[in-house]
Amino acid sequence: MHQHFIGGEWTEGGEAMENRNPSDTGDLVGLYASGGSAEIAAAVEAATTAAPAWAATTPQQRFQLLDLVGSEILARQKELGYLLSREEGKTLAEGIGEAVRAGQIFKYFAGEALRLSGVKLDSVRPGVEVETLRQPIGVVGLITPWNFPIAIPAWKTAPALAFGNALILKPSEIAPGCAWALAEILSRAGLPAGVFNLVMGGGEAGSALTEHPGVDAISFTGSHAVGRGVAAKTVSRLAKVQLEMGGKNPLVVLDDADLELAVNAAVQGAYYSTGQRCTASSRLIVAEGIHDRFVAALLERLKNLRVDDALAEGTDIGPVVDERQLKKDLDYIAIGKAEGARLILGGERLARGKPGHYIAPALFVDTTNAMRINCEEIFGPVAAVIRVKDFEEALAVANDTPFGLVAGLCTTSLKHASHFKRHAQAGMVMVNLPTAGVDYHVPFGGSKGSSHGSHEQGRAAKDFYTSDKTCYTLP
Ligand code: NAD
């Protein structure tokens, strides 16, 4: 069984949970420990003991460690990408791409450890010196989802370590293999015992981490429903919290858009990674002058996508992660039809020779923004087209959602692109690009109901993983 990593030791604890390949459920990826409050308590104690010495390390020490970890991930990208695709179901190319991303993130934050700085200012009082220092928070808890099982643990773990914090990583119980592999790499990288801890398990372990009084901050990525509870618990004990949650991301296609580019953006954004991305475009808001041509061209592209085993060559779209998510996708297909949306492609369960969770990519047309399929996050390869008159209506519809993660626009109009960048209610805006697919050296995060607290990644990461201390001196 793959064990937890607590206080520098591999330890048993709790039940063993099965990690199965969603492309072929007969394939057992491995057995992973599933802990609860006892393992969380042990990990928090270890992190608390280790935190002061780690906070006192030099930026050079932290740079070297993160750089080493990044190098190993990059060197093992094929093997880690294979594991990722096998346990999560995105295609091998996507899996390897995500492993590379994780390596790049560690390299980036190695450099950020060196660049962390405070500010020295002139005081408003004569003779007084005033400066702000950036200091580690202490012990941080990281709770991650299954859909980016190595990139998200990496983009939380790397800045936590770079800026001098000790941490407990609690990955998703649905795909714990990549987080375990990351822990194995970190266990050999020369970190003092207790600085990095891995506790695997489900909601019970996540909840125990959230509630533990020894945890100074929680960084959570996952669903809105769970995120709200995490926020309530952390805020009630006055701990710092950051949440990245779901989206209902619009991709607006205007009459003047490059048709091929717009169709590519829709296929890539809505369907790749089986639509299981928080940044997926699920609402395709299309102006009436291009609507019919766009739908016809999109339909042609979708018909040619190959849905199959994530690890097989030539697969465009792998399976849904598990039976529960597949049922959710199928339920939303039924809901859309019952609401009067017209399903023009897909939406049915597929058989692929092996027992796996396959679904045909689905496209709805003639939908309204008020339908549930356009209001609630489905998290599958399902998109709905909403026909609009012009840019003004498109923008209003795009913004008419409680979510605000990312908004996309396809246009050749500089005027509309500029206006959209300013007025789209989202933390990220893409012009002539798919809504999914981001850089690792800039902030990532949403607005409205998609996020809470400071953004992740890039220069924004230090806002969460450090706190400001203002010092006054009369020399
Ligand atoms: P989830 O909310 O079910 O689980 C996320 C994590 O929370 C898991 O580790 C889970 O074990 C843990 N958890 C469950 N119950 C808990 C509790 N009571 N207290 C504390 N932790 C608990 O989400 P998921 O199904 O793993 O992931 C899919 C969701 O994540 C989607 O909504 C997606 O949009 C979102 N997501 C958001 C981003 C982003 O950056 N905005 C990125 C990826 C995924």
Side-chain angles (χ1 to χ4, degrees):
M1 181 167 73
H2 296 79
Q3 298 171 317
H4 310 291
F5 186 65
I6 300 173
E9 304 284 339
W10 294 102
T11 52
E12 302 275 332
E15 310 268 294
M17 58 183 173
E18 288 189 343
N19 181 3
R20 288 198 174 267
N21 178 349
S23 298
D24 175 4
T25 55
D27 174 28
L28 182 66
V29 178
L31 289 176
Y32 291 79
S34 177
S37 50
E39 289 70 31
I40 291 291
V44 175
E45 195 184 330
T48 306
T49 306
W54 182 245
T57 52
T58 63
Q60 180 64 23
Q61 286 170 290
R62 299 196 297 275
F63 165 85
Q64 272 168 230
L65 187 127
L66 292 171
D67 189 56
L68 187 71
V69 171
S71 295
E72 181 168 342
I73 295 172
L74 291 174
R76 293 173 54 192
Q77 57 182 262
K78 288 200 177 136
E79 171 209 338
L80 292 168
Y82 184 91
L83 170 66
L84 199 164
S85 300
R86 187 172 163 215
E87 74 168 343
E88 196 269 352
K90 62 183 70 169
T91 64
L92 190 53
E94 291 171 329
I96 293 171
E98 190 183 325
V100 168
R101 174 55 54 101
Q104 290 167 331
I105 288 167
F106 271 90
K107 293 274 182 183
Y108 172 80
F109 282 108
E112 284 295 276
L114 296 169
R115 281 186 287 268
L116 186 66
S117 63
V119 185
K120 190 158 186 184
L121 301 108
D122 288 335
S123 169
V124 295
R125 287 173 284 168
V128 174
E129 289 178 357
V130 58
E131 61 195 312
T132 61
L133 307 178
R134 282 275 184 187
Q135 296 197 303
I137 316 172
V139 174
V140 296
L142 312 178
I143 302 176
T144 59
W146 50 264
N147 67 322
F148 283 96
I150 196 159
I152 296 181
W155 84 49
K156 293 184 193 295
T157 298
L161 293 176
F163 302 138
N165 300 283
L167 68 101
I168 299 100
L169 170 63
K170 206 301 284 170
S172 168
E173 64 278 30
I174 296 172
C178 287
W180 188 90
L182 179 63
E184 200 280 323
I185 293 171
L186 282 158
S187 76
R188 291 181 284 100
L191 271 172
V195 172
F196 171 87
N197 303 276
L198 173 79
V199 176
M200 296 172 291
E204 191 199 327
S207 191
L209 186 58
T210 308
E211 287 167 11
H212 198 295
V215 178
D216 302 301
I218 292 280
S219 177
F220 169 89
T221 300
S223 63
H224 195 259
V226 176
R228 282 183 81 97
V230 167
K233 284 179 190 165
T234 38
V235 169
S236 75
R237 58 179 189 81
L238 302 181
K240 199 169 179 180
V241 66
Q242 169 185 67
L243 311 171
E244 284 301 337
M245 299 168 290
K248 199 68 205 171
N249 309 300
L251 176 70
V252 171
V253 180
L254 295 184
D255 288 342
D256 63 9
D258 176 320
L259 183 63
E260 198 186 331
L261 183 148
V263 170
N264 279 340
V267 172
Q268 161 65 240
Y271 297 98
Y272 275 60
S273 299
T274 324
Q276 298 177 146
R277 295 190 283 202
C278 53
T279 49
S281 344
S282 50
R283 295 183 297 141
L284 306 176
I285 302 168
V286 186
E288 58 192 7
I290 198 171
H291 178 278
D292 293 354
R293 281 180 296 138
F294 173 81
V295 169
L298 180 58
L299 200 55
E300 269 323 293
R301 281 288 304 280
L302 294 180
K303 280 181 189 160
N304 292 318
L305 290 181
R306 185 166 150 205
V307 181
D308 210 333
D309 188 326
L311 296 168
E313 210 173 309
T315 295
D316 296 304
I317 296 182
V320 172
V321 73
D322 63 9
E323 198 57 37
R324 181 198 46 89
Q325 181 62 48
L326 180 67
K327 182 178 178 310
K328 187 176 170 196
D329 296 350
L330 294 170
D331 285 350
Y332 272 107
I333 299 292
I335 289 167
K337 285 189 201 163
E339 285 178 311
R342 196 152 61 84
L343 183 70
I344 58 167
L345 188 81
E348 72 277 5
R349 190 173 187 146
L350 297 173
R352 283 292 175 265
K354 298 167 186 156
H357 313 293
Y358 298 102
I359 185 171
L363 182 64
F364 280 110
V365 294
D366 299 341
T367 77
T368 69
N369 200 45
M371 291 177 174
R372 279 184 63 193
I373 53 166
N374 283 324
C375 296
E376 297 165 20
E377 187 184 48
I378 302 173
F379 220 54
V382 184
V385 177
I386 304 168
R387 185 197 294 256
V388 290
K389 198 158 63 18
D390 53 18
F391 174 70
E392 282 68 32
E393 188 186 352
L395 180 61
V397 171
N399 286 341
D400 185 11
T401 169
F403 296 104
L405 191 55
V406 50
L409 172 68
C410 293
T411 185
T412 49
S413 157
L414 186 58
K415 184 177 135 211
H416 287 144
S418 300
H419 190 88
F420 192 77
K421 282 189 266 185
R422 280 182 184 277
H423 297 284
Q425 294 169 359
M428 296 173 286
V429 172
M430 306 288 179
V431 177
N432 293 327
L433 287 164
T435 54
V438 296
D439 286 4
Y440 63 87
H441 66 308
V442 288
F444 176 97
S447 63
K448 293 163 71 177
S450 290
S451 299
H452 177 82
S454 49
H455 284 182
E456 301 194 84
Q457 301 196 66
R459 303 308 300 273
K462 69 177 182 316
D463 297 338
F464 182 74
Y465 292 101
T466 66
S467 60
D468 265 328
K469 182 186 278 180
T470 310
C471 304
Y472 297 87
T473 310
L474 182 62

